[in-house]
Amino acid sequence: MAVLSVSDLSLAFGHVALLDHAAMSLEVGERVGLIGRNGTGKSSLLRILAGLEPPDDGLVQVQQGLRRVYVPQEADFSAQASVFDVVSEGVAEARALRDRFEQHAPEDDLDALQTRIELLDGWNWETRVDQTLQRLQLDGTTLVGSLSGGMQKRVALAQALVAAPDVLLLDEPTNHLDLDAIAWLEELLTGFRGSLILITHDRAFLDDVATRIVELDRGTLRSYPGNFAAYEARKEQELADESVMNARADKLLAQEEVWIRKGVEARRTRSVSRINRLEALRSQRAARRDSLGRVKLEVDGGQSSGKIVAELQGVNKAYGDRVLVRDFSATILRGDKVGLIGPNGAGKTTLLKLILGEIEPDSGTVRQGTRLQIAYFDQMRAVLNLDATLADTISPGSEWVEVAGQRKHVMSYLGDFLFSPARANSPVKSLSGGERNRLLLARLFARPANVLVLDEPTNDLDIDTLELLEQLLQDFPGTVFLVSHDRRFLDNVVTSTIVSEATPEDPGRWREYEGGVSDWLTQSQRARALQAQLNKSAAGGADKRGAAPTKSAQAQPPIPPVPAKRKLSYKEQRELQELPGRIAALEAEQKSLSDQLADPASYTSATTRISEMQERYAQIDEELLHALERWEVLDGK
């Protein structure tokens, strides 16, 4: 049964139709992921569904007595308010009604007040707030202004959940959350008893939470059952079918246009029905809304840096009693794509500054490479002047930018990032969050760099742009340092991961793992299992009375720890990257020889080459075996 539905919904800003007679419904217990390009109107639709904004036209139907709660992208709380007071605003109506009931004002109908308070479960609102704070691991006495962005997001969720909504509407709930907090939020939302609509571009999060995907595409809402992986499969087929249909329609229109322009005699005898069909085709062509553009990402890699970008040995860094980095060693080579993972406040920014030589360690040595050209992407967008125009932000004082050796007009360059020429002179403050991130990327890639430092670049970016950014970073010849909590993005980009493994007993501990988030989780789970096995063996060596270990237990050798993988040299790394292509080429050549040897015609037309082909076929077998063995050796390192 639908608890919320919209039909024939229309909304426009200027001449741009964000919603074009759109329709959708939300069933009881559904968890819907709302996706679409930046600027297509997802947040506006969510506010309409929340009852906060009216549409230009259309119908919004809500089940009677339905409680809807909307959580925006950015929390806006008083810095001096306590967490308890802010969360209590979620039960503001119940609190106000109970206060009125307790004051016994003569003009109040106490029976009606009591009925409404009971409906809202308002007699024990303090207990509900305390229970919600405990569930979300929040201290009610803390001032909101002292909390990080991730903790403030928890406060906003607590304020929403304490209201016991039937429908929860979340706009980018994973922004500013670390990996542990995202896993916690996944568990919270999958256990939520009401219905849920959320906007997010975190594909792994959508896979784990969503039961249906709704895409806002060119003003229309399209529904896809299942999670994001199921959506991707269906969408790929849809786009292929749409392309074929459009090509057929364009071909038919071109044929009819040729016919209508024939000579005078042909026009005298032309068919009225055919003319009507041509007019219909023209109308359909005009009415068909072309697909939205795709961002064109290109980065100037500048001159090559030295082979070693940074080398750290036994580095320590602390601020007062707070240890952020302890005894950390690593070697970063040119071309490495390094992900940094850790909870908010773990010291990721401090470690990055140590690697890049922006701050000095308390002890240990840090050696930077040569010819480093560093470009930064700041998640807080601090480098953006909100009053400056888009064109001045990209190229102050000039109409031209130079990217990858090519000179481009700033209007054309902004067009690559989906900013129309009409908006080039608009102020930055007029942009949405996703558009500001696109502008930051445009500014970043307009400068030559061989080291990219990206701090949460995925926030507010739509999925198409994320995938293009992934491809760009994979192909970038320089070095990348990536701070992100988007698991899929990290897995697709990084070659190694530096993870915070700090504990209260062992603060400031960082460890490097080969691969992305999935590889780190696999390796760390193996390490924990091994440690548990060692602990179990040690505990089992003595009996319950504390007797000495038996002879057989004493003779049992300890399980050796898993040796840490050493970092490949630059030459070995290049060899490992080239091996798959070399193996594929050898297999293709061997298949071609096999086909020729199996063809009877080869033995009549090319008899002199038969022995050469047979000899080469055997030689490829040996080369393949050697290449596979070499791949296994390098991968094992």
Side-chain angles (χ1 to χ4, degrees):
M1 181 178 70
V3 295
L4 176 65
S5 64
V6 295
S7 56
D8 208 28
L9 212 60
S10 296
L11 180 70
F13 284 105
H15 67 283
V16 179
L18 297 179
L19 298 172
D20 190 3
H21 304 285
M24 70 166 288
S25 61
L26 178 67
E27 302 292 325
V28 176
E30 265 197 315
R31 298 191 297 273
V32 174
L34 179 60
I35 66 172
R37 301 293 296 273
N38 290 138
T40 54
K42 300 186 298 296
S43 294
S44 298
L45 174 60
L46 206 64
R47 290 181 64 83
I48 290 171
L49 295 175
L52 300 175
E53 289 181 4
D56 293 341
D57 196 11
L59 182 64
V60 180
Q61 293 179 303
V62 181
Q63 194 177 72
Q64 187 174 6
L66 188 77
R67 286 193 294 254
R68 294 171 285 175
V69 175
Y70 167 73
V71 180
Q73 287 188 38
E74 302 293 339
D76 185 17
F77 303 132
S78 169
Q80 300 305 315
S82 70
V83 170
F84 183 90
D85 290 339
V86 170
V87 174
S88 298
E89 291 175 16
V91 288
E93 183 185 359
R95 186 172 58 175
L97 288 173
R98 200 183 78 178
D99 289 345
R100 283 175 57 189
F101 184 88
E102 291 171 349
Q103 290 169 5
H104 300 295
E107 66 274 11
D108 285 333
D109 183 343
L110 296 183
D111 289 337
L113 280 175
Q114 182 175 356
T115 302
R116 182 62 179 166
I117 292 169
E118 289 174 352
L119 181 65
L120 296 173
D121 192 20
W123 294 116
N124 61 342
W125 65 263
E126 296 97 339
T127 304
R128 284 169 54 194
V129 171
D130 285 333
Q131 288 174 345
T132 305
L133 292 175
Q134 186 177 3
R135 183 183 176 194
L136 273 65
Q137 301 172 5
L138 291 168
D139 182 356
T141 62
T142 306
L143 294 181
V144 172
S146 66
L147 298 177
S148 65
M151 293 305 291
Q152 288 193 28
K153 182 73 79 172
R154 285 198 186 210
V155 173
L157 288 167
Q159 188 186 79
L161 293 171
V162 77
D166 301 306
V167 175
L168 189 56
L169 303 153
L170 305 178
D171 194 350
E172 294 288 359
T174 62
N175 279 5
H176 309 302
L177 296 185
D178 55 43
L179 287 175
D180 289 339
I182 290 173
W184 161 85
L185 182 59
E186 283 180 0
E187 186 178 352
L188 181 75
L189 295 181
T190 52
F192 179 61
R193 295 181 181 178
S195 303
L196 170 70
I197 301 179
L198 62 96
I199 297 172
T200 183
H201 301 125
D202 188 324
R203 293 156 290 179
F205 189 79
L206 283 171
D207 268 341
D208 293 339
V209 172
T211 58
R212 180 160 65 102
I213 301 294
V214 172
E215 181 187 29
L216 178 53
D217 179 26
R218 288 165 277 174
T220 303
L221 291 169
R222 295 185 173 89
S223 180
Y224 300 84
N227 61 7
F228 184 76
Y231 155 79
E232 281 187 304
R234 287 194 58 183
K235 186 65 179 178
E236 186 177 355
Q237 184 60 47
E238 274 188 13
L239 289 174
D241 294 343
E242 182 181 359
S243 177
V244 171
M245 289 174 61
N246 288 344
R248 287 175 180 169
D250 290 344
K251 183 177 180 182
L252 181 58
L253 175 60
Q255 291 171 346
E256 294 301 297
E257 292 286 4
V258 170
W259 172 81
I260 201 69
R261 289 177 174 79
K262 282 185 178 179
V264 175
E265 187 173 343
R267 286 201 295 274
R268 289 183 190 145
T269 57
R270 61 191 175 186
S271 163
V272 174
S273 62
R274 193 167 180 182
I275 293 172
N276 291 338
R277 184 174 71 165
L278 175 60
E279 292 299 327
L281 284 169
R282 285 173 174 171
S283 299
Q284 290 171 12
R285 169 76 178 183
R288 188 203 308 161
R289 298 182 65 181
D290 291 333
S291 297
L292 291 168
R294 290 171 65 90
V295 176
K296 297 176 184 176
L297 297 180
E298 189 176 21
V299 62
D300 187 347
Q303 63 175 333
S304 294
S305 67
K307 176 181 161 184
I308 292 179
V309 172
E311 188 174 26
L312 294 82
Q313 291 290 336
V315 169
N316 295 277
K317 186 66 180 178
Y319 290 98
D321 295 334
R322 190 180 174 206
V323 179
L324 293 178
V325 180
R326 187 183 65 79
D327 195 25
F328 179 70
S329 300
T331 302
I332 311 296
L333 301 176
R334 180 178 62 224
D336 281 354
K337 312 291 190 294
V338 182
L340 281 87
I341 296 176
N344 293 328
K348 298 186 291 292
T349 302
T350 300
L351 181 57
L352 261 178
K353 288 181 176 179
L354 286 168
I355 292 172
L356 299 174
E358 294 184 7
I359 59 175
E360 293 294 326
D362 297 336
S363 60
T365 60
V366 180
R367 181 168 67 95
Q368 272 77 41
T370 57
R371 302 189 302 276
L372 298 185
Q373 295 174 291
I374 304 171
Y376 289 87
F377 180 99
D378 175 20
Q379 66 162 322
M380 303 310 294
R381 312 183 186 117
V383 297
L384 291 180
N385 179 357
L386 298 184
D387 294 321
T389 65
L390 274 62
D392 284 341
T393 301
I394 298 301
S395 183
S398 173
E399 294 184 351
W400 300 90
V401 293
E402 189 166 327
V403 181
Q406 294 185 344
R407 199 162 178 254
K408 280 190 175 183
H409 195 276
V410 69
M411 298 291 187
S412 173
Y413 184 69
L414 283 169
D416 290 345
F417 288 81
L418 305 185
F419 294 111
S420 65
R423 302 187 69 186
N425 293 316
S426 301
V428 173
K429 61 187 175 185
S430 68
L431 302 180
S432 69
E435 288 172 328
R436 290 184 191 185
N437 267 17
R438 280 214 311 272
L439 183 65
L440 264 181
L441 288 174
R443 186 180 186 276
L444 178 78
F445 297 152
R447 289 154 173 74
N450 50 38
V451 176
L452 296 180
V453 181
L454 305 176
D455 189 358
E456 293 291 356
T458 62
N459 283 353
D460 302 321
L461 290 182
D462 58 59
I463 291 169
D464 284 350
T465 307
L466 278 179
E467 292 174 348
L468 289 170
L469 181 58
E470 283 176 1
Q471 187 64 50
L472 175 86
L473 295 179
Q474 288 168 3
D475 297 338
F476 179 59
T479 307
V480 176
F481 293 97
L482 179 59
V483 179
S484 177
H485 299 129
D486 187 322
R487 293 156 290 179
R488 184 79 60 85
F489 189 79
L490 284 166
D491 275 340
N492 292 343
V493 172
V494 303
T495 56
S496 66
T497 309
I498 298 176
V499 183
S500 170
E501 295 187 343
T503 63
E505 299 79 23
D506 187 11
R509 183 185 178 196
W510 294 84
R511 183 176 175 186
E512 185 177 14
Y513 292 87
E514 296 294 327
V517 176
S518 302
D519 300 292
W520 157 55
L521 291 173
T522 301
Q523 293 174 61
S524 58
Q525 285 169 1
R526 285 177 183 167
R528 284 195 297 269
L530 180 62
Q531 187 61 48
Q533 191 175 359
L534 287 168
N535 293 341
K536 186 177 178 182
S537 298
D543 61 18
K544 293 180 181 179
R545 295 171 298 175
T550 61
K551 239 181 177 181
S552 59
Q554 288 176 340
Q556 200 170 27
I559 300 172
V562 177
K565 291 185 178 181
R566 75 168 180 87
K567 200 166 187 71
L568 295 175
S569 68
Y570 178 71
K571 183 178 178 181
E572 289 174 329
Q573 194 176 37
R574 290 294 300 271
E575 184 183 1
L576 182 60
Q577 291 171 351
E578 292 169 359
L579 274 172
R582 182 181 166 198
I583 290 170
L586 287 170
E587 288 175 339
E589 184 185 357
Q590 192 175 50
K591 184 179 184 305
S592 174
L593 288 172
S594 177
D595 292 342
Q596 292 180 56
L597 290 170
D599 185 2
S602 300
Y603 293 86
T604 57
S605 60
T607 52
T608 56
R609 292 192 60 243
I610 292 298
S611 58
E612 293 177 9
M613 287 191 288
Q614 290 172 336
E615 185 179 342
R616 177 58 185 155
Y617 189 92
Q619 186 181 356
I620 290 174
D621 265 342
E622 293 180 7
E623 290 180 14
L624 273 174
L625 181 61
H626 175 73
L628 290 169
E629 288 175 347
R630 182 62 178 158
W631 191 4
E632 186 176 354
V633 169
L634 292 176
D635 191 51
K637 291 184 179 180

